[in-house]
Amino acid sequence: MHVQRLQFTAESEAGKSSLYHQAMAVLAALYRHGQICGQDWPLHWEGLHLMAQVQTLEVDALDAVHHSAEVCQALAALPPQGMAVQYLGEGASEAVACSCVHSSSFALYTHFLHLGSPILCLDCGGQVPLYRLPAGALHSQVLLSWQSDYRACDSLQMGCELLEAETTYQLAALDSALTRRGRALCDALTQQTGRPFYYYLYCHEGTDLESESRRPCPSCGQPWPRQQLRIAPFDFQCDRCRLLSNIAFEVGWMGQ
């Protein structure tokens, strides 16, 4: 992850209010296109300059070559000085962008602390920036909407208080609305890119490692033996159903 500073400049004190709204439109468009990560953008004024600090998966994420039509339109509405970008350095987050030239497969995956793209490369484990999806693929906003809903459910079930059972069902059940929606996204991306997209099914409760290792794929009922995947938390992979899952976290916590 990389930290960058964006500078927007008002033409006068009277223009500050308008610039603020214009800058927010640019930030929102950059987020919706996957060029900046998360929706926490600290802003402050330095004279006529409005400064925003953002995080990006790649150093060149804010280059014009990656802009969508929406980003270009928002930038065009700014005062003449436009948007200046200053690279600050590598962020503390361990998230890294996919470095593969041609990835063989991907996963749709996120969690309540996850910052960045919900698409992971299953070859290197890096996140795939949404602006690198091929032209004609799903709009990044559709994927970000699913990610937002998933993170909300995961946050509630981690809190172990409000709606814990309901949100755990959304994360773990094959027939939940969240899972059906995510698998539909994976099907669409698989068709559009010609490469398989897998959906991750969360698993929390289990008895022991032996019984967990025998747990079949919940979709086709066939064995999906433990895979030697290098990418946490994926322990199981069903190529027929394009599903991933994990050894139940309770089993892991018991020292297995």
Side-chain angles (χ1 to χ4, degrees), residues 5 35 50 65 74 112 119 146 170 173-174 177 187 223 231 241 248 252 254:
R5 178 181 293 153
Q35 288 178 262
L50 180 61
V65 67
F112 78 110
I119 296 179
W146 170 87
Q170 289 297 322
L174 192 65
D187 289 345
I231 305 166
C241 305
M254 288 188 289

Side-chain angles (χ1 to χ4, degrees), residues 64 123 130 142 150 166 181 199 221 239 246:
D123 294 330
L130 297 182
V142 177
Y150 191 105
E166 292 85 350
R181 184 170 152 210
Y199 187 80
D239 294 327
N246 58 282

Side-chain angles (χ1 to χ4, degrees), residues 231-243:
I231 305 166
F234 310 139
D235 296 307
F236 299 108
Q237 176 177 330
C238 180
D239 294 327
R240 180 189 309 214
C241 305
R242 295 199 305 275
L243 287 173

Side-chain angles (χ1 to χ4, degrees), residues 79-122:
Q81 294 193 43
M83 179 182 76
V85 180
Q86 179 187 3
Y87 180 74
L88 298 181
E90 190 171 343
S93 170
E94 296 181 354
V96 296
C98 169
S99 58
C100 299
V101 176
H102 185 83
S103 302
S104 62
S105 58
F106 306 90
L108 185 62
Y109 171 72
T110 191
H111 54 76
F112 78 110
L113 293 176
H114 189 242
L115 180 66
S117 172
I119 296 179
L120 296 189
C121 167
L122 288 178

Side-chain angles (χ1 to χ4, degrees), residues 22-44:
Q22 292 165 342
M24 288 299 294
V26 171
L27 291 167
L30 290 169
Y31 165 72
R32 284 192 288 266
H33 193 48
Q35 288 178 262
I36 61 177
C37 300
Q39 294 176 278
D40 183 18
W41 316 309
L43 288 88
H44 70 278

